[in-house]
Amino acid sequence: MSNENIQAGLDKYNATVEKATAKFPARPHIPEQGLYTPLDIKETDYAEDIGFPGVYPYTRGVQPTMYRGRFWTMRMYAGFSTAEESNKRYRYLIESGATGLSCAFDLPTQIGYDSTDTIAEGEVGKVGVAIDSLADMEILFDQIDLGKVSTSMTINAPASVLLAMYIAVAEKQGVSADKLKGTIQNDILKEYAARGTYIFPPRPSMRLITNIFEYCSKNVPNWNTISISGYHIREAGSTASQEIAFTIADGIAYVEAAIKAGLSVDDFAGRLSFFWNAHNNVLEEVAKFRASRRIWAKVMKERFKAEKPKSMMLRVHTQTAGSMLTAQQPNNNIVRVALQTAAAVMGGTQSLHTNSRDEALALPTEDSVMVALRTQQIVAYESGLADVIDPLAGSYYVEAMTNRIEAEAWEYIKKIDDLGGAVAAIEKGYIQKEIQDSAYKWQMDVESGARVIVGVNKFQVEEEAPKNLLRVDASVGEKQKAKVEAMKAKRDNAAVQAALADLKAACGDENENLMPHILAAVKTYATLGEICGVMREVFGEYEAHVNL
């Protein structure tokens, strides 16, 4: 059928629909256009814009076989209380079929303080596991073979220290650094823009990141040195287009910093990875995944002149949307997570964490975690969604949505370029304000009822107070303090002070890679707080501001 015939048929259809829908109330959050046809993708070139899986521009996926070869890594995010308790949960997950670990750290660890610091009072072990030194990391991975498991660590400002601890534990297990597989988040720019667990100002933070790139390219070649994170940008309230635009802009800044530090793009770009949110709008999320791969491939090929195919591949870990979990009617969250899982799988993720139904109320129980893991396994083995590569390709709506999200993201990237790049845009408050504006609009729509959240602003029921929630006992903080003090009493404190003095001197030399010095300090059982404290002395601390 010719485009002219399609247009004539569409005009007739629209006239009919206009009359039929006039009597129905408006639904402001559905697409203005209700039907998509070949006219909506007539400018799309299959070879240039869609292509084949494993081939530039990777719209359809980064691997030729995708899940027909093997499933995504089922990487369950966990960590709470002490290293001993988290170790038990990790071993339970592995025994239950998880194929990768993802470590959650408590707030003091995330911002580089020891459990003994007064600022850590009341927060030890609450939102993740407390890791104060190599001694805790040894316990955390006790009886877990680091030569076989792939580990992701959600850690940013002190990522270099936690990575050094992981390398040191592996050495003690007899596993060399070149055998290690995993990821550190290590994405400080999104902390300034959306999340807040930063320590140092942007410039020294970028130095630490490029030091990790360089060190791992030579010593830990199978490690993903950064997970450039849109997840927290979306959790803070961004749109799908903003999520990938701001995240890819951060990625551009990291690549530029690494090249400026003397690294060749093809030596490190293949170990960059991304972290997306899987939100509720299934088809929009699938389009977002597809658009993000296409944008990154073009950025790496055209802007940075990358030559290796792996340098152009946007590999992504995904987590279902924590911000979409509701405390009301928490069993509804099982359905939400199932839909988000389907979106991530049809979108072509490389690994996935599924949230648990009770996480809007507390840390997840073992029963809830099992349901979340089983959700992935049912999608993998029973749904058929993993049987075919990029199953929604060719859908008029999905292809048009992919094009729209890509176009919107490019507009944001251009704006950020005009402001001087992601670091400058963050320093000027631009990215923060865009996210805040989107979050405000979403919340106003929920409060007005224009956007329906089932069980929250519609279809409410009377509910009993939740029972059997997992709580971290307040005594955890005191126990952890005692462990730290006992460890300090046994270690060689002269060796610790010498290593810290060496690190401080290295911090003052901008040409020095800090990773070997941090690793040396870690091996003396210098604490996280001591190591970060030395860097605070030299680099200072970041103070947030937003220009409105």
Side-chain angles (χ1 to χ4, degrees):
M1 182 181 289
S2 69
N3 286 346
E4 290 78 9
N5 288 340
I6 294 173
Q7 186 63 61
L10 185 61
D11 291 342
K12 185 177 179 181
Y13 167 83
N14 285 334
T16 303
V17 167
E18 190 174 348
K19 292 178 183 178
T21 57
K23 59 187 176 183
F24 296 118
R27 290 168 58 194
H29 299 294
I30 65 173
E32 183 177 340
Q33 186 175 330
L35 182 72
Y36 285 73
T37 71
L39 298 177
D40 294 292
I41 58 171
K42 62 184 178 182
E43 303 300 326
T44 299
D45 181 289
Y46 182 86
E48 292 293 321
D49 300 321
I50 302 174
F52 294 93
V55 177
Y56 182 89
Y58 305 104
T59 307
R60 305 198 66 181
V62 294
Q63 292 125 359
T65 58
M66 290 302 291
Y67 312 134
R68 291 171 67 86
R70 67 178 182 86
F71 292 126
W72 59 93
T73 300
M74 299 180 190
R75 189 186 298 285
M76 297 303 290
Y77 185 49
F80 65 98
S81 187
T82 61
E84 289 87 350
E85 288 299 315
S86 292
N87 174 262
K88 290 176 186 175
R89 177 64 65 89
Y90 291 165
R91 286 158 56 193
Y92 168 78
L93 287 170
I94 291 170
E95 290 165 4
S96 300
T99 53
L101 297 175
S102 186
C103 303
F105 299 100
D106 72 357
L107 191 56
T109 302
Q110 291 183 50
I111 54 176
Y113 288 105
D114 291 335
S115 300
T116 52
D117 198 294
T118 55
I119 203 170
E121 195 72 35
E123 290 292 341
V124 176
K126 288 294 177 68
V127 299
V129 61
I131 298 294
D132 289 295
S133 73
L134 178 58
D136 289 320
M137 195 67 102
E138 290 167 351
I139 296 168
L140 187 65
F141 291 103
D142 181 44
Q143 300 180 60
I144 297 172
D145 186 346
L146 299 190
K148 294 180 179 178
V149 71
S150 170
T151 303
S152 173
M153 293 187 278
T154 302
I155 197 71
N156 295 283
S160 55
V161 185
L162 274 296
L163 175 58
M165 289 181 183
Y166 192 84
I167 292 168
V169 170
E171 286 182 7
K172 284 177 170 285
Q173 289 187 1
V175 179
S176 60
D178 64 325
K179 300 293 191 297
L180 296 178
K181 293 182 179 179
T183 306
I184 42 173
Q185 195 163 102
N186 196 28
D187 175 11
I188 201 62
L189 292 180
K190 67 92 176 49
E191 297 296 327
Y192 303 124
R195 189 164 178 260
T197 62
Y198 41 70
I199 302 174
F200 317 114
R203 309 294 166 172
S205 293
M206 295 295 279
R207 174 189 171 187
L208 283 166
I209 289 168
T210 56
N211 282 177
I212 291 169
F213 288 177
E214 181 183 28
Y215 182 84
C216 289
S217 69
K218 297 174 182 175
N219 301 285
V220 201
N222 295 314
W223 193 266
N224 296 319
T225 51
I226 194 168
S227 179
I228 308 166
S229 177
Y231 182 84
H232 305 95
I233 289 171
R234 192 66 176 279
E235 290 289 280
S238 79
T239 65
S241 301
Q242 289 172 336
E243 177 188 351
I244 64 171
F246 297 157
T247 308
I248 287 174
D250 287 349
I252 290 169
Y254 293 129
V255 174
E256 288 175 343
I259 291 171
K260 187 177 180 181
L263 302 180
S264 170
V265 66
D266 282 317
D267 286 344
F268 68 86
R271 299 317 307 179
L272 306 180
S273 65
F274 287 77
F275 180 17
W276 292 152
N277 198 306
H279 228 253
N280 283 358
N281 189 324
V282 173
L283 299 179
E284 182 180 57
E285 291 301 286
V286 173
K288 178 191 77 180
F289 278 75
R290 301 173 84 248
S292 68
R293 284 192 291 267
R294 198 153 72 200
I295 294 170
W296 185 247
K298 291 176 183 177
V299 164
M300 296 308 292
K301 183 176 183 178
E302 296 172 12
R303 186 183 295 217
F304 294 113
K305 311 303 179 187
E307 296 181 359
K308 291 182 180 178
K310 197 169 183 181
S311 299
M312 305 174 208
M313 296 178 186
L314 186 148
R315 296 169 302 117
V316 64
H317 169 66
T318 305
Q319 181 172 337
T320 57
S323 59
M324 293 296 99
L325 300 176
T326 64
Q328 299 92 331
Q329 302 178 34
N331 283 342
N332 293 347
N333 295 328
I334 297 173
V335 181
R336 292 186 178 103
V337 170
L339 290 170
Q340 293 160 5
T341 300
V345 170
M346 288 189 288
T349 192
Q350 276 61 68
S351 65
L352 178 62
H353 163 82
T354 34
N355 291 328
S356 299
R357 68 179 186 88
D358 49 3
E359 287 189 67
L361 297 161
L363 291 166
T365 62
E366 283 194 356
D367 287 347
S368 296
V369 169
M370 180 65 79
V371 172
L373 177 58
R374 292 292 183 254
T375 301
Q376 292 198 51
Q377 292 164 337
I378 289 168
V379 170
Y381 290 97
E382 299 183 27
S383 72
L385 295 181
D387 297 350
V388 178
I389 303 161
D390 191 23
L392 296 182
S395 157
Y396 305 133
Y397 176 60
V398 169
E399 295 296 355
M401 178 74 77
T402 301
N403 294 342
R404 179 184 66 77
I405 290 175
E406 180 184 9
E408 290 175 359
W410 278 121
E411 286 182 21
Y412 278 114
I413 292 168
K414 184 180 185 306
K415 173 67 174 176
I416 291 167
D417 283 343
D418 291 343
L419 290 170
V423 174
I426 289 166
E427 290 175 338
K428 293 171 183 174
Y430 168 72
I431 292 175
Q432 296 94 310
K433 188 172 186 304
E434 288 292 310
I435 295 169
Q436 289 164 3
D437 288 348
S438 294
Y440 180 79
K441 184 179 185 306
W442 175 284
Q443 188 60 33
M444 289 302 97
D445 287 346
V446 171
E447 292 186 15
S448 71
R451 183 180 294 275
V452 173
I453 308 295
V454 174
V456 175
N457 62 359
K458 198 168 186 178
F459 311 114
Q460 300 99 322
V461 296
E462 290 293 325
E463 298 180 83
E464 293 184 4
K467 299 175 183 178
N468 302 317
L469 299 176
L470 176 61
R471 303 290 190 193
V472 175
D473 194 277
S475 65
V476 166
E478 294 305 313
K479 291 176 183 176
Q480 188 66 16
K481 287 180 189 177
K483 280 172 58 182
V484 173
E485 296 300 342
M487 181 276 297
K488 284 184 175 180
K490 291 191 294 184
R491 71 185 184 182
D492 182 344
N493 284 295
V496 172
Q497 293 307 313
L500 292 175
D502 175 69
L503 173 60
K504 185 174 182 179
C507 288
D509 181 354
E510 291 189 0
N511 296 316
E512 186 73 10
N513 189 310
L514 297 180
M515 274 302 297
H517 303 277
I518 293 170
L519 183 57
V522 160
K523 289 180 178 180
T524 68
Y525 292 85
T527 67
L528 174 72
E530 289 169 333
I531 294 169
C532 290
V534 165
M535 292 192 281
R536 276 188 175 94
E537 285 182 47
V538 180
F539 299 146
E541 294 188 76
Y542 177 73
E543 294 184 8
H545 70 280
V546 176
N547 296 327
L548 299 178

